Amino acid sequence: LELTQDDANYRRLIDHTTVTDFHFELANDPQLIDPLIKLVQQMVGGMQICDAAGRLQVGVALEQAILNAIYHGNLQLSAEEIREDAIRGGEEEYESVVTRRLTEDPYKDRKVLVRALITRDEAHFVVRDQGPGFDVQNKLDVTIADDENAGRGLVLMWGLMDKVVFSKKGNEVTLIKRREQADPSEPKNDVTVQHEEEQVSTP
């Protein structure tokens, strides 16, 4: 009963929160993603940024951003290498390329840095890996329906968040979810590449 009351008080406390700013430094361990996602979803829901459907969208987009940071960023694996690893994972004597890179330099010591800044108006999520980055503009010069070329993670982030901003180097992405309104006037699916002095919108 005391634990139940504590949970209720915790939810009430979130209702009165005006700003939260979480910073995480994650190892390349996908098992760390789920508890982080649940914490973020609880905060965006409690601070009334979005409803249940919106919380699900935030969770999916943030999960894809972190997975991309781990596998494509820090471990520098292509989509083809990841698919091949999954297919051959059950073969006897097959050495997983993911497992191997988790123990090799320079991949094993790289971290994923996540910031979740949530106010009553919007939520900002910044995910940065310590890999070499990628050609952002080339990846974004696709339509949202061009799943094969854009990559599943990019398509989901693009489709589920209100704004997506990539750093020029390509190793950092900012996801923005605005407070839901009955008649939102802000355009959705805004994807930009951040250059040194400006942000350039993609068509």
Side-chain angles (χ1 to χ4, degrees):
L1 289 174
E2 289 179 355
L3 289 173
T4 301
Q5 184 62 45
D6 287 343
D7 288 342
N9 289 336
Y10 180 65
R11 287 192 295 270
R12 289 179 59 202
L13 181 62
I14 294 177
D15 290 339
H16 295 278
T17 303
T18 57
V19 178
T20 63
D21 192 3
F22 296 106
H23 294 251
F24 303 92
E25 184 176 292
L26 307 179
N28 296 309
D29 183 359
Q31 293 187 357
L32 297 173
I33 300 177
D34 187 56
L36 188 156
I37 296 297
K38 288 181 177 178
L39 172 62
V40 165
Q41 288 176 320
Q42 188 172 29
M43 296 307 300
V44 296
M47 294 176 68
Q48 300 177 1
I49 295 294
C50 51
D51 59 13
R55 292 197 298 272
L56 178 61
Q57 292 173 350
V58 167
V60 171
L62 185 56
E63 178 185 39
Q64 291 301 315
I66 299 174
L67 286 173
N68 280 346
I70 292 175
Y71 291 111
H72 298 308
N74 285 345
L75 301 184
Q76 291 180 238
L77 294 171
S78 67
E80 291 75 18
E81 288 174 312
I82 295 172
R83 281 196 294 268
E84 178 70 13
D85 212 47
I87 293 171
R88 299 189 59 191
E91 295 181 10
E92 190 175 352
E93 298 182 358
Y94 172 69
E95 183 181 11
S96 167
V97 64
V98 172
T99 302
R100 187 170 67 248
R101 291 205 174 176
L102 286 172
T103 61
E104 292 177 343
D105 291 325
Y107 317 105
K108 65 184 180 71
D109 294 324
R110 291 173 175 171
K111 306 294 184 183
V112 177
L113 308 177
V114 181
R115 182 185 184 188
L117 174 61
I118 307 169
T119 71
R120 287 284 170 175
D121 295 319
E122 59 186 15
H124 286 238
F125 308 104
V126 181
V127 179
R128 177 161 57 92
D129 63 69
Q130 297 179 329
F134 68 99
D135 185 352
V136 181
Q137 192 66 57
N138 183 55
K139 280 289 186 181
L140 294 183
D141 284 341
V142 295
T143 65
I144 198 168
D146 194 359
D147 195 314
E148 181 178 352
N149 292 326
R152 179 174 180 268
L154 292 181
V155 171
L156 285 170
M157 286 186 281
W158 188 354
L160 297 176
M161 302 299 283
D162 293 319
K163 187 171 184 178
V164 180
V165 180
F166 291 90
S167 66
K168 182 179 179 181
K169 183 178 178 181
N171 69 334
E172 179 179 292
V173 60
T174 300
L175 310 174
I176 298 176
K177 188 72 170 178
R178 301 186 180 99
R179 183 183 178 90
E180 293 177 347
Q181 299 177 2
D183 183 22
S185 58
E186 295 281 358
K188 294 178 69 68
N189 299 332
D190 185 3
V191 183
T192 63
V193 182
Q194 185 172 354
H195 293 260
E196 292 180 349
E197 300 296 337
E198 61 181 353
Q199 293 181 353
V200 178
S201 297
T202 57

